Each structure stands twice: as C-alpha cells, then as structure tokens.
Amino acid sequence: MRYEGPIYRPPSEADSLLIQATVGCPHNKCTFCMVYKKGPPYKVRPVREIKADVDAAAEVYGNRVQTVFLPAGNTIAMPTDQLTDVCRHIRNVFPKCRRITVYGSSQYLYEKGLDNLTLLAEAGLTRIHVGMESGDDKVLAQTKKGADSATQIQGCQMAIRAGLEISVYVVLGLGGTDRTVEHAQNTANAINQIRPHFVRLRTFIPKINTLMLHQIKNGKFRMLGPHGVLREIETILESLEAPTEIRSDHYTNYVDISGKMPQDRNAMLDKVRAALKKPESDFRPVFVGTQ
Ligand code: SF4
C-alpha cells in the first residue's frame, strides 16, 4: 500500500483497511484545521493505482476485509465515475466487505447531487463522515467552512435520500463565547433537519499553523471553558428531535455521552449536568494541538 501526505481516519474505522484514493483536501481553508495546510496539494490518485493497492491488500488479507476507508480529507470530491469504479472493485475483491467509508464536506455532497450520490450508493459506498462543525451561518462563515447551513442540510439530506449513511461532526466551542448560544441552538436545528445516522461531538482546541490560534492570541476569539462547552451539549441534547446516535469518541471532549436519541437523552443529560457540578479545574487543561 502506498500513502502520501497526512492520513486521518475516524475512530470508528480503526479496524478498516485504508486505501488512499485522494491526497490532501480540495477546500483546505477552514481556519481551525491544520491537517493539510502544509500540503501536499489536493489530487485524485489514478484509479489504476488505487485498484493495484486494493489487489495488494487482498494478497495480504485474503477475503477477510470487512470494512474499507478511503482517505484523505474529502474523497467524496473525487469524480463520481472514478469513485464508483473503485467501490465496485473493492466489492469484487472483498465480497465480505460490508462498509466503504469516506470523508466528505457537505458542499461536495451538494455539488454531486442526488443522481451521482445514488450511483455511489449503488456502487457500494456506504457511509460519509461530514464535517458539519456548526449549524450557525456566522460560525460557518467565520471559520471559512465553505458551506452555509442550508447547503449543509441539503447536501446531507440528498446523501441520505440516495441511501448513504451520514455521520456529522459537531465542534463544540467553535463559536467561542460570542456565538455559543447560536452555535448550539442552530446546530441542533440543522441536525433535526438532516436526521443523520450519527452525530459525533468534538471539542474545539486550537491547532498550530491555524488562523484561529492567531485569533486567540490577539484576542479576537475567546474560547469557552469546560462549563461553556458542557452547556452547549446540554442545549443540543435538549433541542434534538431527530432520531440519531450520539458519539463523543474523541480525546478532546470533557465528557463521554454516547447514546441513542431519544431513548438515552435523559441519561446523557444527567451525565452532562453532573459534570457541570464539578469545578472547571477538574477538567483537562487547554492545550495547542499539534496533529
Ligand atoms: S476541516 Fe476538512 S474541509 Fe476543512 S480544511 Fe480540514 S480537511 Fe479540509
């Protein structure tokens, strides 16, 4: 297998075969993200090379492969005919494969449209991890996410209608102290409209080589403390009406509140409210992320 540039995968893909389909991120502008800021630039790998990597993996793992993840940052942006070709090849080589997953921002889902997303689902693509980050237009604009909330909602809805599973990411604290109320409420509203299969919670930490770290240092962005972040989770949980599964499978979070909505809402809220009773000094310190 050949890999180029940073290779990230969701925690839920820890046991998956990683076959790199794209390099870098075609957007690469988010002010909180350092992953591809130093390159390499975005490109789609030649399909014959991707297939050769699938074949090489088959020589090592035989037909044992059950889940495949296709890095890098926005593989959904790959031309549809090429991505369907890769998905079909994976399904042929690994007949026991039950899931093929990619990262994909909602603007690329929206650009693809229902027809292309349906072709991808039919070819065997299963799940897309979407960095929604916020449902608040001001936060999305400030962080240069490249999509407003209407695009996020429509792009994800189209993917679900096409038969794909959607896992949306929310970055708690991304609006700082100035937008915390709107960030939490509008994020819950967006989730209610999308009705994603999964919601994954992450807590904002400043990363090196990012505009947001610079904004924090010069006082233009004020971070939430642990209680502020926990109150955002409380608002989101109280406001969610869509059936979905919450996962907080990440080291940045102050509390683990994984569960299903609506049946686990009260248990998750109890955990958040118990955490709110602890002094802020009991939680992890703020640090600058380097990866
Ligand atoms: S957060 Fe995602 S879309 Fe934004 S720059 Fe990073 S990899 Fe690209």
Side-chain angles (χ1 to χ4, degrees):
M1 256 77 67
R2 293 159 283 190
Y3 299 108
E4 183 179 348
I7 298 294
Y8 280 65
R9 52 131 182 93
S12 52
E13 298 294 326
D15 297 327
S16 297
L17 173 65
L18 304 184
I19 299 286
Q20 186 164 17
T22 58
V23 176
C25 168
H27 180 61
N28 209 17
K29 292 187 180 77
C30 300
T31 61
F32 55 86
C33 174
M34 56 161 280
V35 179
Y36 305 106
K37 290 289 187 292
K38 292 196 162 174
Y42 175 71
K43 70 176 182 197
V44 178
R45 290 185 69 210
V47 169
R48 67 171 190 292
E49 281 184 20
I50 304 170
K51 287 181 171 177
D53 282 356
V54 173
D55 296 342
E59 281 175 24
V60 178
Y61 302 111
N63 66 359
R64 280 178 294 145
V65 172
Q66 298 202 3
T67 55
V68 177
F69 182 72
L70 305 174
N74 251 310
T75 291
I76 197 65
M78 197 172 161
T80 302
D81 58 337
Q82 295 180 27
L83 188 49
T84 52
D85 197 2
V86 168
C87 288
R88 278 201 203 93
H89 189 68
I90 290 168
R91 294 285 178 175
N92 286 337
V93 172
F94 300 117
K96 290 186 185 161
C97 178
R98 54 185 166 76
R99 190 175 74 224
I100 302 174
T101 306
V102 294
Y103 281 129
S105 296
S106 54
Q107 59 264 45
Y108 301 108
L109 302 180
Y110 184 82
E111 279 169 22
K112 280 244 177 299
L114 183 60
D115 290 350
N116 283 315
L117 291 167
T118 303
L119 288 175
L120 286 165
E122 286 169 356
L125 185 66
T126 321
R127 183 180 293 176
I128 305 176
H129 285 255
V130 182
M132 180 177 83
E133 332 299 10
S134 176
D136 183 59
D137 280 339
K138 197 154 183 190
V139 173
L140 290 168
Q142 277 168 352
T143 55
K144 301 191 188 332
K145 189 62 207 172
D148 60 12
S149 61
T151 307
Q152 301 258 25
I153 292 164
Q154 287 175 53
C156 289
Q157 284 176 336
M158 265 191 262
I160 292 170
R161 234 182 303 145
L164 294 157
E165 287 181 353
I166 288 291
S167 171
V168 299
Y169 287 74
V170 171
V171 180
L172 301 161
L174 194 61
T177 55
D178 289 353
R179 285 306 278 182
T180 180
V181 172
E182 296 86 349
H183 173 55
Q185 193 59 61
N186 290 332
T187 296
N189 292 345
I191 294 167
N192 283 337
Q193 291 182 68
I194 294 170
R195 300 169 72 85
H197 300 78
F198 302 95
V199 175
R200 289 191 146 82
L201 301 178
R202 272 78 182 111
T203 301
F204 170 71
I205 52 166
K207 300 279 181 78
I208 56 165
N209 302 322
T210 61
L211 181 60
M212 280 190 79
L213 179 58
H214 185 66
Q215 289 168 333
I216 289 165
K217 284 182 177 162
N218 64 23
K220 290 197 173 132
F221 182 88
R222 279 170 299 160
M223 282 180 69
L224 290 181
H227 284 176
V229 169
L230 292 167
R231 274 188 219 101
E232 286 191 354
I233 305 176
E234 190 179 32
T235 300
I236 291 170
L237 288 175
E238 285 171 342
S239 310
L240 279 187
E241 291 158 6
T244 189
E245 200 164 327
I246 309 273
R247 299 268 173 90
S248 50
D249 46 356
H250 208 245
Y251 69 98
T252 54
N253 291 328
Y254 292 117
V255 65
D256 178 3
I257 52 120
S258 298
K260 288 188 177 166
M261 292 294 288
Q263 58 266 48
D264 298 328
R265 183 199 314 267
N266 288 340
M268 289 190 276
L269 275 170
D270 286 349
K271 224 167 171 181
V272 173
R273 287 168 185 158
L276 271 165
K277 291 193 178 125
K278 294 195 220 165
E280 290 202 311
S281 54
D282 275 17
F283 296 94
R284 64 157 175 79
V286 172
F287 62 98
V288 176
T290 56
Q291 56 179 329

